[in-house]
Amino acid sequence: MGSGSSVNVNYKYSLQKSENAFKAAVLIQQWYRRHVARLEMRRRCTWRIFQSIEYSCEQDQIKLHNFFSYLMDQFTPSSSKERDFISRMFISGESYKEAELEKYCDYESIEVPDSYTGPHLSFPLLPDHATALLEAFQQKQQLHARYVLNLLHETRKHLKQLPNISHVSTCYSEEVTVCGDLHGQLDDLFLIFYKNGLPSPSKSYVFNGDFVDRGKQSLEILVILFTFLLIYPKEVHLNRGNHEDHMVNLRYGFTKEVMQKYKVHGKKILRMFQNVFCWLPLATLIDQKVLIIHGGISDTTDLEMLEKIQRDKFISVLRLKKRKESSRKPQIEAVNGESEAGTDAAGNEAAPRLSLQPQSAQAPNTANRLEFSRWLRQTVQEQIDTCRRLMDISESEPEELTYSSVVSLKDVDEPCWTRQEEWKQVLDILWSDPMPQEGCRENKVRGGGCYFGPDVTEKFLDKYSLQFLIRSHECKQEGYEFCHNRKVLTIFSASNYYEIGSNRGAYVKLGPDLIPHFVQYQANKTAHMLTMTQRISRVEESAFRALREKLFAHTSALITAFRSYDGDNTGKITLSNWATAVESVLRLGLPWRMLRPQLVRSTEDGMLEYKSWLDDLAMEQRSQEHIQSSLLEVIYRNRSNLETIFRIIDRDHSGLISFEEFQQTWKLFSSHMNIELTDDGINDLVRSIDFNKDGNIDFNEFLEAFRLVKQRPS
Amino acid sequence: MEHDWKIVQQSSDLGEGKVSDRTKAPSWRIAPKVSGCSSGTDGLIAEIEKKITEAFEVFDRESNKTVDGREIGCIIRSLGCFPNEAEVQELLAKIEEPDGFVHLENFLRVMTEVLLDRRFQPIPEDVILHAFEALDENKCGYITKEDLVKHLTEEGERFTQEEMEDMLVVALDPETNTLHYRDYRTKLVVDETKTFPFNV
């Protein structure tokens, strides 16, 4: 008793207290770490969703090819209207010699009104012009069309002098900064300039392609980049990306952006851009040691060939159609006459053509269906041939002879590549992706380029005595990522690419030691203020919305799949079978079991009533109840392709097509997709769209009406 | 670190509820109510394996059926388990390759057992509440930032600086710089049930 024991009691008490505190700490830490782990899993799953949806979008291009093949091979137009319609899809009209380009896209006659408050450009450009432009764009002003066109003309002149592969040396400027995809996100460019400084004689930049599409300020980015290019030609280098391609622009937003911003002169501006994009260099080499290309390489990439080809031949590298398998020999044999463009599927012979000059848009005015079909096949055949050689014929310079004749005129010593081989070189550079496995295989997901393995990289670097590759083309969560034993660096500069908070952007700096230093950023104030949980929730919401739309778009196929697991016709299936069925239909390679709680809310005894689940999905779409659901499904599933087709039809880029054209498109499409569509069905469809004027349909509105996913705020 | 987790496991003075000895496996197995399976348990195991594989593949960067050992804790936890660090390390030790990576087949084997045995059960809400209360000396319903940091970075299975900061960002009431743990706990619990209610 006495103080001794009370000390003991106190001691015991405090000992127990600290033991308790210790145990408590362990529990809290354990519990918290679980929470964090779940967040991390959610984050990664969300990422997966976005990536798989993005790549499956690119497969739409393949579906488009199939649609065109279908039109070519199987569809016989039943009226002259239909004939005209189809022929318009396949025949491009205009040729552009240098002089014609100047004339058509002339800017001098464009007056700049006194009321214009934006920046004025005069040539040669000075640093002040760049500053003025940056300030103007920050204040959301628009550069006058005249200056845009002038800038484009000057840019084209400059680019024409550049070699296919730019050479940069770090001994002139201390460091080179390399930026990746920007995709119209001007805020990211501003952030880069803010953090890193503007281009200048002491600050070199390489921009690695994909300046446009998806984001809403592609135009401004191009104007700024081209301006700096002209002011500091030695310090600023631009590489072409796969989005610097008008076929891609039709689908992914650049065309739309230009037409919206420049209603009067938009078409000219677009034409000029086409003729500027094709002159962008294909690659940049730093100190002969680091190669920068937009996409990647393949096992056949040949730098010597790349240096020598005429890069402006490839206005677009996208093929319009994949040829049916036949014993076609490579193009080089075309020297002997185009008679190989002989028999097509129906056994009709096409007349041999010796020149690939553009055809005038004159369909034979005959009611004879057979005649027409034959003519159509011939013309389309040629179109396909030229597309296959990847030369957009409408843009060629006529003083250049056809490839076949060029070959016969060249010296025997000169390397004789086929157009096919050249095309593949360019395609691979712009579209390929690295893969972890060894080897090199076709990139079926994107529909172009290759997947190349670490062995391909190794061999390539070895062959040309290079240290590593820098490429872009793929979004990375941290803005950059190494692969292939740090021999390939992906750099991606568009932050928040999928959604606010989805990823950081980054740029990389290289000094004479060629050791990469990275700077990351995220161009959105909101993103910084959000907690990790909020950021993840937000991105997640967006991803799941997109995913639910995809599911809805495959309703019929899903029902069939579910039914196959529901032999007794109970209307229910297990969650496990749900996951298997969904993957078999959507083929997105997603972890469905992990995603399930977000997609399937209510179950009974672990069983899902699939019909009502699908109905719930359908309910989420907007006000289109009066349209039959199967039709709706088709629209959703094919929206991206429909949009592209509309844009192709809409030659003057007005955003409007006539009701008849709309009907035609729809009919063609639905016969290809094997949908039963009554005239009533079409009328219902049309009634749901606002008619603008004179029976024209604003197809932008039409497409908007069927858009589930919220537009990203600009 | 040897003494701590064992104490936690055996004690039950931190609250009622299902804080049982988590090292013992229950002797029963769950009978699945799933149709379309060849045999009850087999079907269950197949489903578990699919779940484990999915979770694993999310972290499989190179699509070659291996993950970095440091992410194993994350994967295990996202499958519904609540191991502490020592338990994660113990598991990892069984399957980690010399190069620090873990192969799917090994992970699958070990993890299937874990799930079938229902190891590393969730910490019940009230137990967590009591844990917070144990740190709240004055029983006033909140813990000061300093105390929180001290306990969590110096005791138990210590938080790294980054972990501590991340937690504080959400947990602290910015005006008073204190953690109102009842609200915080409720908040996290609600978040949880929204997303991954794990059920076998």
Side-chain angles (χ1 to χ4, degrees):
Chain A
M1 285 300 215
S3 59
S5 58
S6 69
V7 167
N8 270 344
V9 167
N10 280 341
Y11 178 70
K12 261 203 198 136
Y13 175 65
S14 59
L15 188 63
Q16 185 169 54
K17 214 174 73 159
S18 66
E19 258 189 33
N20 278 349
F22 197 92
K23 290 180 223 163
V26 172
L27 274 179
I28 295 174
Q29 287 150 347
Q30 196 171 335
W31 175 78
Y32 179 76
R33 282 180 174 130
R34 219 284 282 236
H35 171 71
V36 168
R38 299 261 258 212
L39 274 184
E40 179 61 22
M41 179 57 95
R42 278 164 69 186
R43 192 175 74 112
R44 292 199 187 215
C45 283
T46 307
W47 188 255
R48 283 289 190 97
I49 294 175
F50 275 131
Q51 286 205 305
S52 67
I53 290 185
E54 179 179 20
Y55 293 146
S56 84
C57 226
E58 292 182 349
Q59 286 180 323
D60 279 349
Q61 198 72 28
I62 299 173
K63 283 195 228 152
L64 199 58
H65 298 168
N66 295 337
F67 175 53
F68 283 126
S69 327
Y70 161 78
L71 283 183
M72 250 197 27
D73 298 335
Q74 285 156 38
F75 190 83
T76 21
S78 57
S79 70
S80 58
K81 271 205 194 124
E82 275 185 351
R83 273 177 240 143
D84 289 341
F85 185 67
I86 298 183
S87 57
R88 277 179 58 197
M89 267 203 252
F90 287 106
I91 296 166
S92 21
E94 311 137 280
S95 82
Y96 285 103
K97 310 176 205 193
E98 191 76 37
E100 279 191 15
L101 195 66
E102 298 265 334
K103 196 177 99 192
Y104 176 71
C105 300
D106 120 273
Y107 55 88
E108 273 159 22
S109 60
I110 303 179
E111 292 243 346
V112 181
D114 290 331
S115 55
Y116 172 70
T117 54
H120 297 264
L121 297 184
S122 61
F123 293 80
L125 289 172
L126 299 167
D128 278 349
H129 291 123
T131 326
L133 280 171
L134 288 171
E135 273 171 22
F137 289 152
Q138 245 157 4
Q139 286 160 35
K140 315 276 184 219
Q141 288 179 329
Q142 192 167 298
L143 183 64
H144 195 274
R146 182 205 169 102
Y147 298 129
V148 176
L149 286 167
N150 199 354
L151 176 64
L152 291 177
H153 276 281
E154 295 299 314
T155 305
R156 183 165 182 267
K157 275 194 232 155
H158 171 76
L159 288 176
K160 280 178 88 165
Q161 301 164 354
L162 299 180
N164 293 345
I165 303 183
S166 308
H167 288 258
V168 178
S169 174
T170 53
C171 63
Y172 295 132
S173 62
E174 288 141 18
E175 265 183 335
V176 179
T177 305
V178 182
C179 300
D181 293 25
L182 286 168
H183 281 302
Q185 298 187 185
L186 186 60
D187 285 342
D188 284 309
L189 186 59
F190 281 154
L191 199 53
I192 295 173
F193 285 160
Y194 177 71
K195 287 170 97 73
N196 197 47
L198 296 177
S200 72
S202 57
K203 198 156 288 267
S204 288
Y205 273 93
V206 177
F207 290 94
N208 199 13
D210 275 13
F211 317 120
V212 302
D213 281 333
R214 298 192 204 269
K216 303 244 181 300
Q217 290 169 294
S218 305
L219 201 64
E220 285 79 4
I221 289 189
L222 286 174
V223 167
I224 293 175
L225 291 181
F226 291 161
T227 302
F228 277 117
L229 177 72
L230 294 177
I231 299 174
Y232 302 112
K234 290 211 216 67
E235 287 81 21
V236 176
H237 307 270
L238 305 179
N239 282 347
R240 188 175 184 184
N242 63 306
H243 277 259
E244 275 70 56
D245 180 328
H246 72 105
M247 286 296 286
V248 179
N249 298 151
L250 277 175
R251 180 189 288 280
Y252 288 109
F254 181 54
T255 311
K256 187 164 153 184
E257 182 189 328
V258 172
M259 291 313 299
Q260 275 174 354
K261 290 181 176 166
Y262 292 96
K263 296 192 166 39
V264 179
H265 300 287
K267 205 170 167 212
K268 277 189 192 180
I269 294 178
L270 282 173
R271 278 288 174 210
M272 273 311 294
F273 271 122
Q274 277 179 36
N275 284 277
V276 168
F277 286 163
C278 64
W279 277 110
L280 287 168
L282 298 171
T284 301
L285 196 55
I286 302 185
D287 288 348
Q288 305 288 352
K289 289 263 152 253
V290 179
L291 184 68
I292 310 177
I293 57 243
H294 176 75
I297 55 173
S298 75
D299 53 358
T300 56
T301 299
D302 181 343
L303 287 184
E304 278 115 17
M305 199 192 295
L306 274 170
E307 272 180 331
K308 299 213 175 88
I309 63 176
Q310 291 171 288
R311 66 182 190 268
D312 62 306
K313 288 274 152 296
F314 306 100
I315 302 259
S316 166
V317 288
L318 283 188
R319 295 199 287 187
L320 209 50
K321 182 195 174 222
K322 215 169 163 119
R323 246 330 178 77
K324 277 204 241 192
E325 265 320 293
S326 57
S327 54
R328 299 284 175 201
K329 298 200 191 137
Q331 298 311 109
I332 191 95
E333 263 116 320
V335 169
N336 300 319
E338 320 290 288
S339 54
E340 65 152 21
T343 49
D344 62 9
N348 297 333
E349 267 193 84
R353 304 234 181 253
L354 289 175
S355 96
L356 296 171
Q357 291 307 308
Q359 304 300 306
S360 55
Q362 288 280 320
N365 198 4
T366 166
N368 185 329
R369 213 201 251 193
L370 201 56
E371 266 287 317
F372 177 82
S373 298
R374 207 174 120 200
W375 167 85
L376 185 61
R377 279 201 201 89
Q378 283 172 16
T379 343
V380 168
Q381 195 72 39
E382 282 150 31
Q383 202 68 16
I384 296 311
D385 281 346
T386 62
C387 283
R388 208 157 54 97
R389 288 173 210 140
L390 269 300
M391 186 168 95
D392 187 344
I393 208 66
S394 63
E395 321 296 341
S396 74
E397 319 218 319
E399 60 261 25
E400 268 146 40
L401 305 161
T402 65
Y403 187 70
S404 45
S405 40
V406 166
V407 166
S408 60
L409 288 176
K410 281 199 187 262
D411 298 335
V412 183
D413 287 340
E414 287 263 6
C416 251
W417 302 303
T418 63
R419 184 55 57 86
Q420 185 88 352
E421 286 170 335
E422 287 184 358
W423 163 72
K424 185 174 193 296
Q425 291 290 325
V426 178
L427 191 70
D428 287 342
I429 291 282
L430 298 183
W431 284 81
S432 299
D433 290 311
M435 65 174 176
Q437 300 83 13
E438 305 223 315
C440 187
R441 53 187 174 85
E442 213 183 303
N443 192 331
K444 288 215 166 68
V445 173
R446 291 201 195 251
C450 293
Y451 283 120
F452 62 100
D455 53 329
V456 177
T457 302
E458 187 75 42
K459 220 163 135 193
F460 181 80
L461 294 177
D462 216 39
K463 180 174 177 192
Y464 295 106
S465 308
L466 301 171
Q467 276 181 22
F468 60 98
L469 297 176
I470 300 182
R471 42 90 64 176
S472 303
H473 199 40
E474 281 181 298
C475 183
K476 297 292 174 193
Q477 262 187 309
E478 294 300 316
Y480 72 94
E481 193 173 274
F482 278 108
C483 65
H484 293 188
N485 294 320
R486 292 182 82 90
K487 299 277 175 63
V488 174
L489 167 64
T490 303
I491 188 87
F492 194 84
S493 301
S495 67
N496 304 319
Y497 180 61
Y498 293 122
E499 175 58 76
I500 295 177
S502 66
N503 66 289
R504 291 170 151 155
Y507 55 87
V508 57
K509 297 161 80 79
L510 296 171
D513 56 6
L514 296 181
I515 296 179
H517 296 276
F518 298 98
V519 178
Q520 296 167 297
Y521 52 83
Q522 208 149 9
N524 191 294
K525 288 199 204 91
T526 330
H528 291 169
M529 296 192 313
L530 295 174
T531 63
M532 190 168 55
T533 316
Q534 287 170 318
R535 233 180 293 149
I536 292 177
S537 296
R538 197 174 169 148
V539 185
E540 201 180 33
E541 223 179 274
S542 186
F544 278 103
R545 225 180 295 131
L547 198 53
R548 282 198 291 271
E549 184 190 301
K550 270 248 168 221
L551 287 166
F552 167 72
H554 290 85
T555 303
S556 324
L558 283 171
I559 291 194
T560 315
F562 291 151
R563 287 216 179 107
S564 70
Y565 287 100
D566 181 21
D568 300 332
N569 221 354
T570 61
K572 300 189 193 167
I573 47 167
T574 67
L575 292 173
S576 172
N577 290 334
W578 171 86
T580 319
V582 171
E583 176 59 25
S584 72
V585 170
L586 290 198
R587 297 192 179 285
L588 291 174
L590 290 175
W592 293 103
R593 287 168 187 80
M594 301 246 85
L595 304 177
R596 201 234 337 125
Q598 293 270 47
L599 294 170
V600 175
R601 296 293 170 158
S602 57
T603 60
E604 261 180 55
D605 303 326
M607 304 282 281
L608 167 68
E609 277 184 15
Y610 50 86
K611 192 70 186 38
S612 57
W613 175 68
L614 286 169
D615 286 341
D616 284 343
L617 277 182
M619 293 256 275
E620 279 179 36
Q621 31 98 359
R622 294 208 245 140
S623 59
Q624 311 300 334
E625 307 97 21
H626 52 286
I627 302 196
Q628 59 178 154
S629 61
S630 59
L631 186 57
L632 213 49
E633 209 187 302
V634 171
I635 295 178
Y636 273 116
R637 200 161 52 233
N638 297 284
R639 196 180 55 223
S640 152
N641 278 342
L642 278 175
E643 179 165 1
T644 309
I645 295 172
F646 284 147
R647 288 198 193 284
I648 293 176
I649 294 170
D650 175 29
R651 304 201 136 257
D652 58 0
H653 300 294
S654 60
L656 303 172
I657 56 175
S658 75
F659 173 51
E660 262 142 38
E661 287 169 337
F662 178 83
Q663 249 189 339
Q664 296 283 22
T665 309
W666 195 254
K667 265 200 179 145
L668 290 176
F669 210 70
S670 52
S671 63
H672 168 56
M673 307 294 289
N674 280 324
I675 310 162
E676 294 279 319
L677 191 60
T678 60
D679 279 339
D680 273 347
I682 295 196
N683 288 335
D684 278 344
L685 193 60
V686 156
R687 237 183 282 131
S688 72
I689 309 157
D690 269 339
F691 273 87
N692 284 9
K693 31 186 177 174
D694 307 322
N696 279 320
I697 293 175
D698 181 335
F699 63 79
N700 284 316
E701 267 188 44
F702 171 70
L703 293 167
E704 276 310 306
F706 296 100
R707 200 173 285 276
L708 262 187
V709 178
K710 243 187 344 192
Q711 288 282 25
R712 294 198 306 151
S714 49
Chain B
M1 282 280 257
E2 304 80 39
H3 61 281
D4 44 24
W5 65 272
K6 283 215 173 56
I7 297 174
V8 172
Q9 286 206 315
Q10 286 160 20
S11 77
S12 54
D13 58 343
L14 280 172
E16 323 71 60
K18 308 191 212 118
V19 182
S20 48
D21 183 350
R22 301 199 281 100
T23 52
K24 256 204 253 171
S27 52
W28 45 273
R29 306 239 173 204
I30 311 137
K33 292 187 199 130
V34 287
S35 62
C37 298
S38 45
S39 93
T41 323
D42 281 351
L44 177 65
I45 293 183
E47 186 54 18
I48 290 180
E49 287 185 345
K50 281 195 201 134
K51 273 201 168 98
I52 296 173
T53 308
E54 263 192 10
F56 188 89
E57 282 175 349
V58 173
F59 285 82
D60 178 5
R61 289 174 167 278
E62 309 206 341
S63 306
N64 57 0
K65 305 218 190 294
T66 57
V67 303
D68 189 332
R70 289 168 293 183
E71 324 228 75
I72 285 296
C74 207
I75 304 176
I76 297 176
R77 287 172 172 125
S78 60
L79 283 166
C81 301
F82 271 87
N84 57 36
E85 286 299 296
E87 286 163 336
V88 172
Q89 289 307 314
E90 197 192 342
L91 220 86
L92 189 57
K94 290 188 196 159
I95 52 180
E96 195 176 18
E97 305 287 321
D99 60 359
F101 282 87
V102 173
H103 292 184
L104 174 58
E105 45 190 14
N106 296 329
F107 183 68
L108 204 53
R109 199 190 51 216
V110 163
M111 201 62 210
T112 308
E113 248 184 71
V114 166
L115 290 183
L116 282 175
D117 294 348
R118 301 205 124 189
R119 279 158 66 189
F120 313 134
Q121 286 291 293
I123 301 176
E125 284 177 43
D126 45 359
V127 172
I128 279 295
L129 188 58
H130 287 144
F132 277 114
E133 282 171 351
L135 299 185
D136 176 12
E137 302 214 350
N138 306 324
K139 308 287 175 241
C140 43
Y142 61 81
I143 306 174
T144 65
K145 177 181 171 186
E146 291 72 31
D147 278 348
L148 197 64
V149 172
K150 189 182 77 151
H151 285 296
L152 296 180
T153 60
E154 292 173 21
E155 297 173 349
E157 291 180 325
R158 302 179 192 174
F159 269 172
T160 63
Q161 176 125 355
E162 211 188 317
E163 280 176 312
M164 192 69 247
E165 277 170 18
D166 279 342
M167 181 185 187
L168 288 174
V169 164
V170 183
L172 276 190
D173 169 14
E175 286 176 27
T176 57
N177 254 0
T178 59
L179 166 64
H180 291 262
Y181 47 85
R182 278 185 181 271
D183 294 338
Y184 179 57
R185 184 214 58 174
T186 315
K187 188 154 164 283
L188 286 198
V189 166
V190 166
D191 249 355
E192 292 281 300
T193 47
K194 252 194 344 187
T195 49
F196 289 108
F198 176 87
N199 43 22
V200 175

